[in-house]
């Protein structure tokens, strides 16, 4: 049984759209785009979609690396983290995800901050 949050995010296809929009925003944001210059974006899209699906209570397994390993030595700071979150919020707004569900997802991602930011 999938969670209410997973459903409010639009299930698998809604989540894939949200993550795609987020990555498009990131790619267009000179504050943080440079981090992604040499990254396989299709793979990243797949992995972040899996992860969002999984943490939101959907029927997905996350097959990527831990957040600590994958962000190790990238030098990501608080402002970078907040910039990416801005694009995530904008993408959820665009998909008309209710604000309460947006906040629920952000609360589930927040604990990852300590593994991502240096
Ligand atoms: C809650 C916030 C974030 C989540 C959920 C997240 C999630 C992920 C995931 C699932 C991966 C793939 C892991 C793997 O390769 O197996 C990844 C990789 C990556 N993330 Fe994040 N991330 C977040 C924040 C950030 C921020 C703020 C930045 C930089 C501004 C960033 C930059 C990167 C880069 C550059 C990679 C690719 C690393 C590589 O392939 O060498 N991430 N992230």
């Amino acid at each position: 049984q999938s969670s209410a949050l997973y459903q409010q995010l639009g299930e698998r296809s809604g989540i894939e759209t949200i993550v795609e929009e987020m990555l498009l925003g990131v790619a267009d944001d000179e504050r943080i785009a440079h981090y992604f210059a040499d990254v396989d974006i299709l793979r990243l899209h797949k992995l972040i979609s899996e992860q969002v699906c999984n943490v939101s209570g959907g029927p997905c397994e996350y097959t990527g690396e831990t957040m600590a390993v994958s962000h190790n030595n990238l030098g990501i700071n608080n402002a970078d983290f907040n910039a990416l979150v801005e694009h995530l919020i904008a993408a959820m707004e665009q998909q008309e995800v209710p604000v309460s569900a947006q906040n629920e997802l952000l609360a589930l991602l927040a604990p990852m901050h300590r593994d991502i930011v240096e």
Side-chain angles (χ1 to χ4, degrees):
Q1 190 70 36
S2 314
S3 77
L5 175 58
Y6 174 68
Q7 285 169 24
Q8 285 173 303
L9 293 171
E11 307 197 331
R12 191 96 188 208
S13 71
I15 289 169
E16 284 171 0
T17 302
I18 289 164
V19 175
E20 182 178 355
E21 289 299 326
M22 179 189 81
L23 289 173
L24 286 170
V26 164
D28 212 31
D29 184 339
E30 63 184 15
R31 294 173 296 177
I32 54 174
H34 60 95
Y35 285 106
F36 300 88
D38 295 329
V39 170
D40 178 343
I41 292 293
L42 291 181
R43 176 176 172 276
L44 186 61
H45 176 266
K46 170 179 174 278
L47 291 174
I48 298 180
S49 298
E50 283 177 1
Q51 194 184 40
V52 169
C53 174
N54 183 267
V55 301
S56 69
C60 307
E61 194 192 338
Y62 173 61
T63 63
E65 287 285 357
T66 64
M67 291 300 93
V69 166
S70 52
H71 299 87
N72 185 38
N73 288 327
L74 292 180
I76 297 168
N77 65 31
N78 249 313
D80 298 329
F81 188 89
N82 292 337
L84 181 136
V85 169
E86 273 178 36
H87 294 293
L88 174 58
I89 292 170
M92 291 192 289
E93 275 294 321
Q94 190 176 319
Q95 291 306 304
E96 300 183 345
V97 174
V99 171
S100 58
Q102 294 182 24
N103 288 336
E104 232 183 291
L105 178 62
L106 295 175
L108 292 168
L109 299 179
M112 298 173 185
H113 178 276
R114 74 174 77 89
D115 290 329
I116 292 171
V117 168
E118 293 175 34

